[in-house]
Amino acid sequence: MEPNFVALRKEFPVLERKTYLNSGSYCALANDVKAAIEAYMEDRLAVGANWDVWITRNEAVRALTARLLGAASDEIAVTASVSAGLNALASALDFSGTRNKVVISDFEFPTNAQIWHAQEPRGARVVHVPRDASGYIPAEQFAAAIDENTQLVAITHVCFRNGAKLEIPKIVRLARAKGARVLLDCYQSVGSADINVKQLDVDFAVGGMLKYLLGTAGIGFMYVRDSFTKTLLPTNSGWFAQADIGAMDITGNHPHPSARRFEAGTPAVVNCYAAEAGLKFLLGVGTQAIEKRIQALTRRCMERLVEIGWPSVTPTGDERRGATVCVPSRDAGALAKELMRRDIVTSHRDANLRASFHFYNNEADIESFIAAMKDLRAEFAPA
Ligand SMILES: Cc1ncc(COP(=O)(O)O)c(C=O)c1O
């Protein structure tokens, strides 16, 4: 049975005032998430330092994230950000031998590029797979870059600049054929698409809670395939990464046997409350239904943009598109500001305006956006 999207929309009060097309940057706030943050505040007033309970909130986030991704809890590190997870992972990799190549793409968010470039003094060689003339990166483009010297293929699922989705299963097969590991940066897709890390056969996956997962900034996750965990020894560590946190041992480093070894210090407790509530809400709606709805909304939005003579640069095929529709503009920043003045919340990157959709958006949101864009076309569409 399809979720009741009309009723679900009412759980996001900002939607009464704004046409909210910005979940790819930060989600709309759900009543449940607001209540969870308030519950944390109440707890601080009522109990003070309620650590025994707070730690269980962190564990709840781990378990819900595992459910979301089709993984085991022990394969999930709860991190402060994608950067924190990637730095811990990078610190555990050895780039001193011939298998020192890290293959990334032109579609990466800076986090998943800069951190690999930061490993160059340790011997890493970072290779960028370029887009083709159409602006997309077909899986075949990766074949030339992935070879026997490739240790890791670290790629985004959906590009934050243009909304394009990479052909992950094909790229994973290319990596496997050469014995390389695969890291998926799914920050721009997780929560907007149905993702199963086992089916995708990736070794690592990173993301965070503030976009389609309905939570907040300052908390993320890293999935690490169980069979790798014990072979990897992060030097970027902390006391919450230890096998026995309570031991308070200062004589050595004893990493946890699970993916917790990629964690660091004290968890951001209030963020755990928000993330838990967001994940519960999202899983209650169901990721398959969410993916289907977002595909329909983005498809419709792109059709309407063509009708008003201002087509997007996002791929049209459902399999090659995420939740964001990107529209080229001669001044994307000023266009986003003008839309905001009309209570339409979007964002912009490079020369593109970004309108991103979640399950709580509807046809009326598309029509408000299209009406405003039609009005602003002469001023802001590319010359
Ligand atoms: C694809 C992608 N990766 C990573 C990030 C952010 O990473 P971090 O959690 O390190 O800030 C973003 C944020 O917008 C993103 O879109």
Side-chain angles (χ1 to χ4, degrees), residues 170-187:
K170 284 190 193 167
I171 300 168
V172 170
R173 280 198 290 279
L174 289 170
R176 290 275 165 269
K178 302 291 181 184
R181 294 170 182 172
V182 179
L183 178 139
L184 183 70
D185 176 358
C186 58
Y187 214 143

Side-chain angles (χ1 to χ4, degrees), residues 24 81-84 109 111 156 158 160 185 187-188 211 349:
S81 62
V82 165
S83 302
F109 190 84
T111 303
T156 193
V158 170
F160 76 107
D185 176 358
Y187 214 143
Q188 283 292 336
K211 301 178 192 291
R349 289 280 182 211

Side-chain angles (χ1 to χ4, degrees), residues 21 27 43 61 95 165 313 333:
L21 300 176
C27 61
D43 200 29
V61 171
F95 299 105
K165 185 189 257 182
V313 292

